[in-house]
Amino acid sequence: MTSLVERPAARRAGGLVLQNLAVAACYYAGGRLGLLKALAVEGAVVSPIWPPTGIALAALLLLGPQIWPGIALGALLIVEHISHPLQPSAIGILVGNTIAPLCAYALLRAVRFRNELDRVRDGMALVFLGALGGMLVSATAGVGQLLARRQIHASDFWAVWSSWWAGDALGVLVVTPVLLILWYAHRPFGWGRWPEALALAACTALVAPFAATSDLSLLFLAYPLLIWAAVRFQLTGAALCALFVSVATAIAAADGVGPFRGHSQFGVMINLQAFNGSVALTALLLGALVAEQRAMRLRVEQAVAELAEVVERLAPGGSAGQRRPPDGG
């Protein structure tokens, strides 16, 4: 009898270990991708988009807070990769990168955030609580540790801090919605919409890299694509479009081409983060707004259909009108 009771518990523990290892592997892979186009701001290495923060928050939202050891393990692997051998200054970065997603998760759960992102309030919560609010912890802990170890000058604190914070926040804004959408993936439209979806994908694949690398300052061309994606394909299209645009722009910024040519590294980060933040905010809120209005329209149509059915039953000659009590005489 005891073995029968212990067997499900051991199975759950084994499943939790596998989940933590999977999260750690995804975190590490996302960190390696983020470091491919990292920039040096005042001597500190900063990624314009830091995918691990988005991966960590999505894992917490989908799997629960018991997944935090996987986040810590992934952060440890990344920190060890950056500063090999592991330096004492890495402890603050490790702690900050672990606690920040937990803080963002707690803030989102406090306002009853829904993972489906089908309400405007959920989009607002992810932007201001999950991304901008929660990532204050990782930026402050990481840059504070660098300052304490005299790896940056005090005069450079705010430049490094703002770049760090913006990169972590963009990781949440760009990556977390895509992972949540993929988790709840279902065919979002009929087969007749696929030609339009392919046309949108082709336009995005052509326009986004061209706008990001052109010297004519054509980054604004991304916004019609975002509006098209959000209005026609809701949050799924908007989030995927925003991800591609942000990555294409980050690559151009790291290479110093297009509108980022001739700027200092800090100037590049400011321009890049302002644009990518606007792209992510537009896609997330517009996609959530369209989804909310669509859900409201479906509820209204359902209520109208139910009301019409009731009226039909109560009308003279209807099914309800035909059922009359027999005459007493």
Side-chain angles (χ1 to χ4, degrees):
M1 183 68 179
T2 304
S3 61
L4 294 177
V5 174
E6 291 177 350
R7 197 170 298 169
R11 192 175 294 120
R12 287 194 297 270
L16 182 59
V17 170
L18 290 178
Q19 287 179 347
N20 276 276
L21 291 176
V23 169
C26 293
Y27 192 105
Y28 178 71
R32 293 296 299 270
L33 288 175
L35 291 172
L36 290 178
K37 292 296 181 179
L39 299 174
V41 177
E42 307 300 341
V45 177
V46 180
S47 175
I49 301 176
W50 188 237
T53 55
I55 294 171
L57 182 56
L60 289 169
L61 291 171
L62 295 172
L63 303 175
Q66 68 273 11
I67 213 71
W68 73 265
I71 298 173
L73 177 59
L76 176 63
L77 294 175
I78 285 295
V79 170
E80 197 274 338
H81 172 75
I82 295 175
S83 57
H84 182 77
L86 197 63
Q87 300 294 328
S89 60
I91 297 177
I93 299 174
L94 173 62
V95 173
N97 287 352
T98 304
I99 294 179
L102 288 169
C103 292
Y105 169 79
L107 290 172
L108 292 177
R109 285 292 174 247
V111 297
R112 298 181 179 180
F113 173 83
R114 285 169 49 170
N115 294 347
E116 292 82 359
L117 283 169
D118 54 357
R119 303 176 300 177
V120 175
R121 59 173 293 183
D122 296 324
M124 297 288 287
L126 184 62
V127 172
F128 292 102
L129 297 180
L132 302 182
M135 297 307 111
L136 292 171
V137 177
S138 57
T140 303
V143 182
Q145 188 75 1
L146 294 179
L147 181 62
R149 301 288 302 180
R150 299 182 182 275
Q151 293 179 298
I152 62 171
H153 297 291
S155 59
D156 300 329
F157 177 84
W158 289 113
V160 178
W161 182 91
S162 60
S163 300
W164 192 308
W165 171 66
D168 285 359
L170 274 175
V172 173
L173 289 177
V174 173
V175 177
T176 299
V178 173
L179 295 179
L180 294 178
I181 290 167
L182 293 177
W183 183 270
Y184 297 102
H186 58 86
R187 191 159 58 90
F189 42 82
W191 293 109
R193 300 276 303 280
W194 276 102
E196 183 183 1
L198 293 175
L200 173 61
C203 290
T204 304
L206 292 174
V207 173
F210 171 73
T213 56
S214 173
D215 293 328
L216 300 177
S217 299
L218 299 176
L219 289 176
F220 63 88
L221 292 177
Y223 290 100
L225 297 173
L226 292 172
I227 296 171
W228 180 8
V231 171
R232 297 295 293 165
F233 303 101
Q234 301 176 48
L235 190 61
T236 301
L240 292 174
C241 184
L243 176 63
F244 186 85
V245 170
S246 297
V247 170
T249 311
I251 293 173
D255 293 338
V257 298
F260 306 101
R261 190 190 307 275
H263 293 281
S264 65
Q265 294 283 28
F266 181 62
V268 168
M269 285 294 295
I270 291 296
N271 286 293
L272 176 64
Q273 306 298 8
F275 174 75
N276 280 345
S278 300
V279 165
L281 184 65
T282 300
L284 193 59
L285 296 186
L286 186 56
L289 178 63
V290 172
E292 189 175 67
Q293 289 184 342
R294 182 174 181 272
M296 184 181 301
R297 187 192 68 191
L298 293 176
R299 288 195 297 267
V300 170
E301 290 177 352
Q302 182 179 2
V304 170
E306 293 175 354
L307 181 60
E309 185 178 352
V310 171
V311 170
E312 183 180 357
R313 289 179 179 177
L314 297 178
S319 58
Q322 292 174 356
R323 293 194 298 269
R324 296 183 179 178
D327 294 337

